[in-house]
Amino acid sequence: MKFYRKSSEEVMEILDVSIDGLSEQEVQKRRLEHGYNKLDEAKGDTPIKVFMDQFKDFLVIMLILAAIISAALGKYESTIVVIFVVVLNAILGTVQHIKANNSINSLKALSSPVSKVLRDKMKKEIPSNELVVGDIIFFDAGDYISADARVIEAHSFQVNESSLTGESESVTKEIEAISQDDVSIGDMKNMVFSGSYVTYGRGVAVVTDIGMKTEIGKIASMLENAKARKTPLQETLDNFGKNLSIAILIISGIIFIIDILRDKAIIDSFMFAVALAVAAIPEALSSIVTIVLAFGTQKMSKSNAIVKKLNAVESLGSISVICSDKTGTLTQNKMKVQKLWVDNNIVDSDEVNDQSLINKLIQFSVLCNDAIVSGDSNIGDPTEIALVNLGNEHNINEQATRNAHPRIFELPFDSDRKMMSTVNAYENSNLMITKGAVDTIINKTHKILTSNGVEILNDEVKAKIKHDNNSLAKNGLRVLAFAYKEYKNESRPKLEDEDELIFMGMIAMMDPPRLESKKAVADCILAGIKPVMITGDHKITAIAIAKQIGIIKDETEALEGHEIEKLTDDELYNIVENISVYARVSPEHKIRIVRAWQKKSMVVAMTGDGVNDAPALKQADVGVAMGITGTEVSKEAASMVLTDDNFATIVKAISSGRSIYVNIKNSIKFLLSGNAAGIFSVIFASVAGLAAPFAPVHLLFINLLTDSLPAIAIGLEPHDGSIMKEKPRKRTDSIINKEFIKQVSTKGALIALVTMIAYYIGFSSGSHLVGSTMAFATLCLSRLFHSLNCRSKASVFKIGVLSNIYVILSIIVGSLMLLFVMNYPPLMTMFEVSKLDISQHLSVIGLSLIPLVAVQIYKLIKDNNSTSHEQIDKVNHLSDVA
């Protein structure tokens, strides 16, 4: 029901309530029908279910099957190691997912604990959750509103709806019906909404909706229905895991059949196939990605970006669109005077001099004002607070001025006449000072104060005032006019006394952009990221701010909420790339905009601070909430919180995310190239008719222990600032592409070659066990050295051998672990290795260094060619300039 289109009498009739209020009997009846005024509880998964869900991954299932088979064949060491890793991964995953989503509880906390209602002709206070549809509810300044209601009385009644609309400016409430259809929340001036609060005056309203049917309840529903998406890396690894598992099954099956045809024992053939599966599966991959992301979040927290969900770090690196709320995110969330109009001239507020007319205008703006500013404490309407702050900036102290010119009478602001007047003692007489809308004030003035004194306000000057007012308004400024006259009556002024005034001037203000917003937007554009402003504010104001900070160039890039309402999802999808500013939008519109971008395979970030932002924050790939001004709801819904409320901080976070993604990619490249080496070695041995060069426990040792530390160390590679000059990757871009597979295969083949040479050396000089031990040691050590190759595209000499000390330490620790396993008798038995002599040890070390040396020589040649091309390009550029 669109109650805003009905008169107050019609609303009372529809809701079947009289001016005496509801009876207790009727209240009970309606409570049975509508329930209590509360939001539904969010239902979360139990810790046990979250833990069990960690075992649904296909790779994990494969590992568990391998462990069961190993146990059946008596290979208990392999079984223990595999089960340990699988359970550890499940615990890590559970810890990350079990952070309960408290968004619904935070929404509930916004409700006022008590409300003043009329029941059985008596005014009483009741708990807010006991409100029912049809209750007549009373509001005074400072009251929270706990249900949606239609206003039936308004006395200078102003409400702050920033938690719903995102706009800090209070809305003056009216009782008249609104004829337009499809009106946004911000324009429903005869309605009040749960979650907002009264800033001025008083009002009476009749409850129209409670609980989940309120506007804030609809947001709660959207918050539950908004689905968190997997990150591009998660999608890539999931797809890779499935494809790898299928490939493993096929290859293992083929190897198993070949061995059977060669009359090998079924058990030996099966163990060979298991060895191949163990070699192929990167058991520690998910743990390593989690650990690298965790280190990334710790580093980002020192830069004022608190990451709540680990996968958001990786998503940050691929953000291609930032949908940002305006108020409090791109702007300062406080009104500030920008321009003053005095004596036919517009003056910037920061260029105001000591001219008497300007000082008088500022002084009068402080007197005709109810705001109180004391240190960090601001009480009153944001517009009036801005006027008091202007006075303080020019040594016109609010309290001293009001004490010197005490208020005698006042006519409070009224939405019908759009004015406010006060009568103050001023220089041996009483002055009526009036402020209000320019069009209204100018119609009540007949003279104007100029530097030459008071003059007649002729049509030419009126036209100039109107022109300048329109010009200021088009730039997104809110303009107030001021006038005065001598008040000679001793009685309280009447509305008709607000006439024959002397026009004094205009003051224009706005919620200005943050100082760092313009640079942050420019940095985003340079990085190939499209900034989009989404606001509940008016289109003119939104466009003005967007132009100032560089989001748009002309008005054609802006769209209003009522226009979005008329578009289908497909139509919005077709135009979304051409729109950079959305004004007067609702929470539903924000989600539609985010989804339209996501449908284009874009990775979307959404920044905001209000309750109205929460559903879109949750729907976005990365929801970014403001830590200082943000509501608890927005913080809970978001995956990242900015502790300094600085839009520029998200740009730093994106840079960190991109670097972390590159590091993770290099870590995966390191792991898979090593695993590929193991696969190639096993396949070669099978084709050559040799015994398995490794025991399954060998490969588990390498994959889980000696590989893990270097992979984590690669993930800690220092950031490269030039990464923000690159375009963001698309969601559809896979981390494992043709080039990636080529590099993994080539380097894996090189490591496999030296590994099998080591096997032949050991086999020819001793036995299969010696050959297997040398192959194991060479594969292990060459993979450790290979971590230096995987740090960057450039050679270690260009990036610095010691620039990542963690990689060096991981090689040392891994080598010591290998040495311990190969020389400590109990471990030698567990890991099925033989004692090697000095020459065999030297052979292992020499062969293990070959892949490192070969790859570094190739990278050095590549680096030199790249440098030569860059120098030629510079010379050509200088020649063109000359």
Side-chain angles (χ1 to χ4, degrees), residues 209-339:
D209 287 296
I210 60 172
M212 294 300 290
K213 292 186 178 180
T214 61
E215 292 298 327
I216 206 169
K218 292 174 185 176
I219 292 176
S221 297
M222 286 189 288
L223 203 54
E224 285 188 291
N225 296 330
K227 302 296 183 184
R229 307 178 80 201
K230 287 188 175 183
T231 70
L233 180 60
Q234 285 177 315
E235 291 175 352
T236 297
L237 292 180
D238 284 351
N239 292 332
F240 170 72
K242 291 174 184 177
N243 294 333
L244 178 63
S245 299
I246 293 169
I248 290 169
L249 288 173
I250 294 172
I251 295 172
S252 297
I254 292 172
I255 298 292
F256 178 73
I257 292 169
I258 290 173
D259 285 349
I260 293 296
L261 293 175
R262 287 180 174 173
D263 295 327
K264 281 192 176 182
I266 293 178
I267 292 180
D268 291 339
S269 300
F270 194 79
M271 280 306 300
F272 204 94
V274 170
L276 180 61
V278 172
I281 299 174
E283 290 87 357
L285 180 59
S286 58
S287 295
I288 287 166
V289 170
T290 300
I291 292 167
V292 172
L293 290 173
F295 275 115
T297 61
Q298 289 180 2
K299 189 172 182 179
M300 290 168 67
S301 67
K302 296 176 183 177
S303 299
N304 300 312
I306 305 297
V307 178
K308 295 175 56 190
K309 301 170 185 176
L310 281 184
N311 56 19
V313 179
E314 184 267 320
S315 289
L316 275 168
S318 53
I319 283 173
S320 46
V321 179
I322 299 180
C323 295
S324 175
D325 184 42
K326 176 182 73 69
T327 305
T329 308
L330 290 167
T331 66
Q332 298 175 20
N333 197 23
K334 61 180 181 180
M335 298 296 284
K336 187 177 188 304
V337 173
Q338 305 289 316
K339 306 278 186 181

Side-chain angles (χ1 to χ4, degrees), residues 572-585:
L572 181 60
Y573 170 85
N574 291 330
I575 67 166
V576 72
E577 289 179 300
N578 303 319
I579 305 299
S580 299
V581 171
Y582 297 88
R584 305 305 279 174
V585 294

Side-chain angles (χ1 to χ4, degrees), residues 292-293 296 300 313 656-665 719:
V292 172
L293 290 173
M300 290 168 67
V313 179
S656 296
R658 288 189 178 187
S659 295
I660 290 169
Y661 177 82
V662 170
N663 291 346
I664 288 175
K665 184 176 180 179
H719 293 179

Side-chain angles (χ1 to χ4, degrees), residues 37 512 547 779:
N37 180 34
K547 281 184 175 179
L779 181 60

